[in-house]
Amino acid sequence: MVRALFIAVCVSAASHAALAQPTYSREVSRILQAKCQNCHRPNDIAPFPLQTYEQASTWSTDIARVVRERIMPPWKPVAGHGEFRDSFGLTDEERETLIRWAEGGAPEGDAADLPEPLPERGEWVLGEPDVVLTMPEPYTPPRGKDMYRCFVLPTTFDADRWISAVDVLPGNRGVVHHAILYLDTTGASEKLDAAEEGPGYTCYGGPGTPIFSDVRAVLAGGTVGGWAPGARPHHLPDGIGMTLPVGARIILQLHYYSTRVSAEDQTRIGLYFSKSEPERRLYYLPVVPLDSRGWLRMEIPAGAERHEVQATFRTPPLSLFNLRAINVFPHMHLLGREIRLDVRKNGEWEPMIYIDNWDFNWQGSYTYQEPVSVPGGATLRLRCTYDNSTNNPRNPSPEPKLVTWGEGTEDEMCLAFVGMVFERGLF
């Protein structure tokens, strides 16, 4: 009797262990769909796709290593410092499932357990845009230095349009450092383009146009977004949009940084329009370090391992300026290690975002699950921490030097673009 009970317990334990072994078809495929395939698909930023069992099993050992070391997926915000939509960070359970699957021999499982494949979206993460604008002709940036080049992309709409999302597809990711999309309602950009030989025109420090001289551009915020390595596009929440004024030109400012080779680029942008007229207009508020004269200023001493730079912005103390933060785009360069944004209201500090392991190659705009209240009189505080020592493998200078604010890759920035709407729906 005892022997029979012992055998029954062993069989039950073995059966439970077999059931507990994750398979690709049952568990792993669903995790990869939800957290990995946004990048790991053909012709996207990841170096290989993860859409089939053969693809995933080939890389199973590497998958286990990078998820154990928390290198992948590259979701950067720390939990508890703002809650964001569309997170592709792994839960502890998902991480353990992937590791056990790989260490258990990466079993395929029953194909009947597979989920429906995700819809094919082509080369655009959000699916085919409503409109695609392309640089008029290719451009080859000079090798070995930072180059800021602006390209004028005219629009031909017969009325103002509301934008829900913008995506940027670099023509050559090896040379495109980042992109900013400015608005020009005056035509000045076309004159600048015509005055300089070759595609586009030089625009170090900005687009060179009076982007806030026209009330339509002011209402639109002067920009419709941008792109940096690792950024993934997202639609704005329902009821919120960015304005593209009728007749406006979009100025595509590209920062090229080609250290090894020179390569041709022809970047495209995709515009996604709101399905209905939004109730609120999105504005981008930059939080940056300013000196007493209102000029951009920051210094990172040579050799400093943990140097902090702070920037603050106080909203006017009037209820008219009660705002809501919809999203946030933090930005630093190669020396950055940590970045955090907080808001002080009603005498208390509330975290808005904190990234404790900054990676220049994985940046993005993060949309809050629920808008963050920023009432009139509130203070936004941005803190950036840098490692300008030889211990930082990303330090571009073999011998550390004083680093200041600048647009070059080897300069630095301490910046957060905060997407805001007026609480009362004012435009």
Side-chain angles (χ1 to χ4, degrees):
M1 179 68 177
V2 173
R3 182 171 182 274
L5 180 61
F6 175 77
I7 292 174
V9 170
C10 289
V11 170
S12 175
S15 300
H16 178 74
L19 289 173
Q21 171 61 49
T23 68
Y24 173 82
S25 297
R26 190 172 55 243
E27 294 94 357
V28 172
S29 58
R30 288 168 170 80
I31 296 173
L32 296 183
Q33 272 194 357
K35 303 298 179 70
C36 305
Q37 290 181 14
N38 194 42
C39 297
H40 284 272
R41 61 194 194 98
N43 302 316
D44 211 304
I45 192 170
F48 51 84
L50 288 174
Q51 296 175 306
T52 67
Y53 170 71
E54 289 73 21
Q55 292 165 351
S57 61
T58 297
W59 296 96
S60 60
T61 300
D62 297 277
I63 290 172
R65 176 180 61 83
V66 296
V67 301
R68 180 184 288 110
E69 297 175 3
R70 299 177 184 266
I71 298 172
M72 289 284 159
W75 179 257
K76 306 307 290 185
V78 175
H81 297 262
E83 300 300 326
F84 301 98
R85 290 174 23 183
D86 306 315
S87 169
F88 50 83
L90 293 176
T91 65
D92 291 340
E93 181 180 0
E94 289 170 333
R95 183 174 289 105
E96 181 62 25
T97 295
L98 292 175
I99 293 172
R100 287 196 294 117
W101 171 70
E103 293 180 343
E108 181 176 9
D110 188 345
D113 293 332
L114 284 170
E116 289 293 322
L118 295 177
E120 180 56 48
R121 294 169 296 179
E123 59 186 337
W124 301 90
V125 173
L126 298 178
E128 192 64 25
D130 293 302
V131 172
V132 175
L133 302 177
T134 306
M135 289 167 49
E137 56 184 300
Y139 177 73
T140 302
R143 177 186 172 189
K145 66 176 183 177
D146 289 288
M147 163 65 73
Y148 282 78
R149 197 79 176 174
C150 281
F151 304 92
V152 183
L153 309 179
T155 63
T156 58
F157 311 117
D158 56 7
D160 292 354
R161 303 301 297 265
W162 288 98
I163 296 175
S164 173
V166 177
D167 196 4
V168 177
L169 281 187
N172 190 311
R173 296 180 187 273
V175 298
V176 177
H177 176 287
H178 75 252
I180 299 178
L181 308 178
Y182 294 101
L183 291 176
D184 173 26
T185 57
T186 68
S189 58
E190 293 182 342
K191 296 179 181 178
L192 291 169
D193 192 2
E196 189 168 330
E197 292 185 4
Y201 62 93
T202 304
C203 54
Y204 192 92
T209 61
I211 58 174
F212 294 116
S213 64
D214 185 288
V215 66
R216 296 178 301 160
V218 172
L219 289 175
T223 178
V224 288
W227 173 89
R232 313 306 288 169
H234 301 284
H235 283 284
L236 290 171
D238 291 342
I240 297 173
M242 298 178 289
T243 309
L244 179 60
V246 62
R249 295 96 175 147
I250 293 179
I251 304 173
L252 172 62
Q253 185 198 51
L254 291 177
H255 176 189
Y256 291 112
Y257 184 60
S258 178
T259 57
R260 295 183 178 88
V261 296
S262 182
E264 184 179 271
D265 171 65
Q266 192 167 18
T267 291
R268 292 171 289 161
I269 68 171
L271 305 179
Y272 298 83
F273 297 134
S274 303
K275 302 309 177 186
S276 59
E277 185 167 328
E279 302 170 0
R280 290 178 171 83
R281 188 191 310 269
L282 187 76
Y283 300 86
Y284 279 107
L285 171 68
V287 183
V288 293
L290 303 175
D291 63 17
S292 59
R293 297 170 295 177
W295 293 359
L296 286 166
R297 183 177 178 84
M298 59 179 283
E299 293 185 348
I300 308 171
E305 292 190 11
R306 283 191 64 83
H307 181 77
E308 183 176 277
V309 173
Q310 287 198 24
T312 59
F313 180 90
R314 187 167 185 263
T315 61
L318 300 170
S319 61
L320 178 68
F321 291 95
N322 288 349
L323 304 170
R324 294 177 185 170
I326 304 302
N327 55 28
V328 59
F329 192 120
H331 180 65
M332 299 187 291
H333 290 181
L334 298 172
L335 300 181
R337 298 304 305 131
E338 299 178 16
I339 187 167
R340 66 175 71 203
L341 179 69
D342 305 286
V343 57
R344 182 177 175 85
K345 51 188 180 181
N346 303 320
E348 300 289 337
W349 286 104
E350 176 183 330
M352 295 183 69
I353 192 170
Y354 174 40
I355 295 175
D356 64 351
N357 184 23
W358 175 261
D359 187 339
F360 178 78
N361 295 310
W362 290 104
Q363 304 181 48
S365 176
Y366 303 96
T367 301
Y368 294 102
Q369 288 187 3
E370 297 294 335
V372 177
S373 171
V374 181
T379 298
L380 295 169
R381 180 183 64 189
L382 179 65
R383 290 178 286 174
C384 305
T385 304
Y386 303 90
D387 183 352
N388 191 15
S389 72
T390 55
N391 295 325
N392 182 359
R394 297 188 179 101
N395 195 329
S397 300
E399 293 294 329
K401 60 183 180 181
L402 176 69
V403 176
T404 59
W405 177 280
E407 297 192 16
T409 305
E410 297 185 7
D411 301 318
E412 264 301 339
M413 289 187 177
C414 176
L415 167 65
F417 284 108
V418 187
M420 299 278 203
V421 298
F422 282 98
E423 195 171 80
R424 296 182 181 180
L426 300 176
F427 285 172

